[in-house]
Structure formats: structure tokens, C-alpha cells
Amino acid sequence: MHITLRQFEYFLALAETGQVSKAALRCNVSQSSVTIALRNLEQAVGTTLFVRHARGLSLTDAGERFARHAQSVTGAFVRAMEDMRAEPDELRGQLRLGVTETISAYLMPAVITAVAQRFPNLRLDVIERERAQVEQDLLEGRLDLALVIVSNLTRFDKLQYDTMLKSPRRLWTHPDHPFQHAEKVRLRDVARADYVLLDMDEHIETVGKYWGRYRLRPNVRFQSRSPEAVRSLVALQQGVTILSDLVYRPWSLEGRRILRRDLSDDVPTMDIGGVWCKRGGLSRGGEALMGFLHASIKALAHA
């Protein structure tokens, strides 16, 4: 049976929301369209992709594997369309791009490759710094652009930004954790569990802010600067964590599974954006690169 990009779209929406009604709303179609697409997709691949339960649906092991392929396919399609929209040599010269730790770890290898393919005459110098130093380098002209977590910015009076990606923060647990089977999970429930805290790119300050709004704090059992260590500890049932979809991977380095689920309380998204100095604005080359990065980062986040 022929598989379409639209089926991939419905499948990924269902994988992310866990409910047919929410997936239909996201894709702006009827619930029956999503249900039929899923049935046809499972028939085409010859296996069950979702497990049905009281709260909705969750991916099977095969569904997790298929989701990675579906994300790669849809991401490649978006990048292909973007590549066709402009001449490959429209941008040349040199641009200095500042990044922070999270951007460097999860986006830069793919971004550098995509930019090199799209703009072969451009030399892109990528410089990793802490957020405060990135801001200072932009203001003093040592950087032309930056990619950062824009919610962490402080110099809004002198810097301008364009949000490119809003990555939801969700609860990560071992597949057998009771939270995965609860009707709903709130921060006060998570506060009673052992917590694994990532210490990376001002994440601790962010955690303090949104937990503080509920007058709660996590019961931190482990703290690490390594995302892989956090993943492994969660997969080994040593605690739970709340992190963004951008850094999510369904498997730890040991090959153990990690599942996500939404929280009932409002948790802020992790917002990635391009930043530049208001004084002088963006050059023509900077505008061209920003437009390309805007489309590419959204595609890469789903790849």
C-alpha cells in the first residue's frame, strides 16, 4: 500500500499528542481522517504502531522506531523544498554565528552541514560561548548573529530576536513508571518522586522559575551536566526528569527505553531563536541566513 506524507503528518501528530482528538485538531482534519490514516498505515507497515489505553494511545516499540523514520522523511521533505526556493550562491563572504551549549550539542552539526550545502560560497564561523558572553559579543560587534535559548536573554533593550522553535517540555520516565499510567500528572506529583536534574545552559535557573510559580521544587537525587547521563539514569529507573522535546531520545546509551508524557500544569516551552544587535540591524546576508535557519531548524527538530 502506498504511504503518503499526509499519513506521516497524522502519525507524528498522534505520536506527539497521544490522542486522536488532539492530533486531528493539530492537523485541522476530522478525527475519522486520523483514525483511517492510522489504520491504513499499520496495514501498510504490517505491525501495530500504537497501544490503546484509557488516556489515549502510546507508541509501541515498533511505533518508536517508525516515528524516527517518519521524522527523517518529513524533515528531509521540508529541507528539500527550502533548498529549491532560492539560488544556491545568493549568499557569500563570512558570517560569525554565536551559539550556546544546548544549540551546539543538538543543532549545530546538522545546521552547519545544511548551510554548507545551501550556501557553498559562505564561510560560517561558529563560536560557542555562555549566553552572557554571546550577548556581549553581539553588542561589541564580535558576532553577526547568534542562536540561543531566547527566554534566557537579558539585553532586550539592545538585542532583537526571532523565535524559530518552541520545543515543549515534557515528563520523561522509565516505561513502567506509574506516571505513564496515571490519568494526569501534576508538578506536585513529580515533586514526590526522585528527580534527575540537568545542569546545562542555565537550565537550573529555568527549573527554579517554573517550579517556583507553583511554590514547589523537585526532589533532586542526581544532578549532571551530561544529557546522556540524565537519559541513562531515567532509563535505569533512578528518577524522572522534565526536559524539552528537542533533547529527547527514546533510548539511552545502554539501549533502554525512555517515554514522555504531558503534564497537567503549565510548563514553559524551550524557545530557540536567532538574535542580533538592534543597532545597525541585520545585513542582507544575515537576513538570508536567518530565513534559511528559521525553516531548517524546524525541520531538523523533527528529523
Side-chain angles (χ1 to χ4, degrees):
M1 184 181 295
H2 181 63
I3 296 177
T4 67
L5 281 171
R6 183 61 57 86
Q7 287 175 314
F8 279 138
E9 178 188 356
Y10 295 172
F11 167 75
L12 289 173
L14 194 52
E16 291 176 11
T17 63
Q19 294 183 9
V20 172
S21 58
K22 291 182 179 179
L25 187 63
R26 176 178 295 190
C27 298
N28 196 29
V29 296
S30 67
Q31 294 185 36
S32 61
S33 296
V34 175
T35 301
I36 292 170
L38 174 59
R39 183 171 65 244
N40 291 340
L41 196 57
E42 289 184 324
Q43 289 176 354
V45 300
T47 190
T48 301
L49 300 174
F50 288 93
V51 174
R52 281 72 174 172
H53 49 73
R55 291 190 300 108
L57 301 95
S58 59
L59 290 168
T60 62
D61 288 349
E64 293 277 7
R65 297 198 307 273
F66 189 74
R68 293 198 294 274
H69 293 301
Q71 288 166 348
S72 296
V73 170
T74 55
F77 176 75
V78 171
R79 291 192 296 275
M81 294 301 294
E82 177 63 27
D83 187 56
M84 293 297 103
R85 290 192 180 111
E87 294 296 326
D89 61 348
E90 70 179 21
L91 185 56
R92 59 186 66 241
Q94 177 184 10
L95 277 171
R96 298 162 299 175
L97 178 70
V99 298
T100 50
E101 190 175 12
T102 300
I103 311 300
S104 182
Y106 290 95
L107 289 177
M108 282 324 298
V111 164
I112 290 172
T113 301
V115 170
Q117 292 174 346
R118 175 65 180 77
F119 302 112
N121 297 315
L122 173 70
R123 173 176 169 175
L124 183 66
D125 293 338
V126 180
I127 304 160
E128 182 183 322
R129 296 280 191 272
E130 292 187 357
R131 187 267 315 154
Q133 188 61 55
V134 167
E135 292 189 33
Q136 193 63 31
D137 287 348
L138 284 168
L139 294 174
E140 296 180 3
R142 290 188 291 271
L143 292 172
D144 301 300
L145 291 169
L147 287 176
V148 301
I149 301 173
V150 295
S151 53
N152 293 344
L153 290 173
T154 60
R155 302 300 301 272
F156 294 105
D157 57 329
K158 295 184 178 180
L159 295 174
Q160 192 165 340
Y161 70 90
D162 174 28
T163 300
M164 299 176 175
L165 175 69
K166 289 180 174 289
S167 181
R169 288 187 169 98
R170 307 182 204 266
L171 176 68
W172 298 11
T173 79
H174 181 273
D176 295 331
H177 197 285
F179 284 158
Q180 289 296 335
H181 308 291
E183 182 177 351
K184 64 180 181 179
V185 179
R186 305 189 67 175
L187 279 179
R188 68 172 179 236
D189 302 317
V190 180
R192 292 191 286 268
D194 288 335
Y195 197 87
V196 185
L197 180 63
L198 178 64
D199 179 9
M200 181 182 185
D201 216 349
E202 300 179 278
H203 179 66
I204 291 179
E205 289 84 350
T206 299
V207 169
K209 288 177 184 177
Y210 73 78
W211 279 78
R213 288 205 303 267
Y214 295 92
R215 297 182 180 180
L216 295 168
R217 61 181 181 181
N219 176 31
V220 178
R221 182 181 178 190
F222 298 104
Q223 180 173 323
S224 175
R225 293 186 60 84
S226 167
E228 295 302 338
V230 171
R231 257 191 285 274
S232 292
L233 288 166
V234 171
L236 290 167
Q237 305 187 65
Q238 297 303 304
V240 301
T241 194
I242 299 171
L243 288 171
S244 81
D245 286 356
L246 179 66
V247 303
Y248 173 74
R249 303 291 183 270
W251 306 93
S252 70
L253 287 176
E254 299 82 14
R256 296 175 179 267
R257 291 186 71 207
I258 301 165
L259 295 185
R260 312 170 275 189
R261 66 158 297 167
D262 292 328
L263 290 157
S264 297
D265 292 322
D266 181 36
V267 175
T269 57
M270 185 175 76
D271 298 348
I272 304 296
V275 188
W276 63 95
C277 188
K278 286 183 178 179
R279 185 184 67 250
L282 277 174
S283 65
R284 179 178 175 275
E287 290 179 355
L289 182 61
M290 280 288 292
F292 177 74
L293 290 176
H294 201 131
S296 297
I297 285 175
K298 286 185 177 180
L300 290 169
H302 293 91

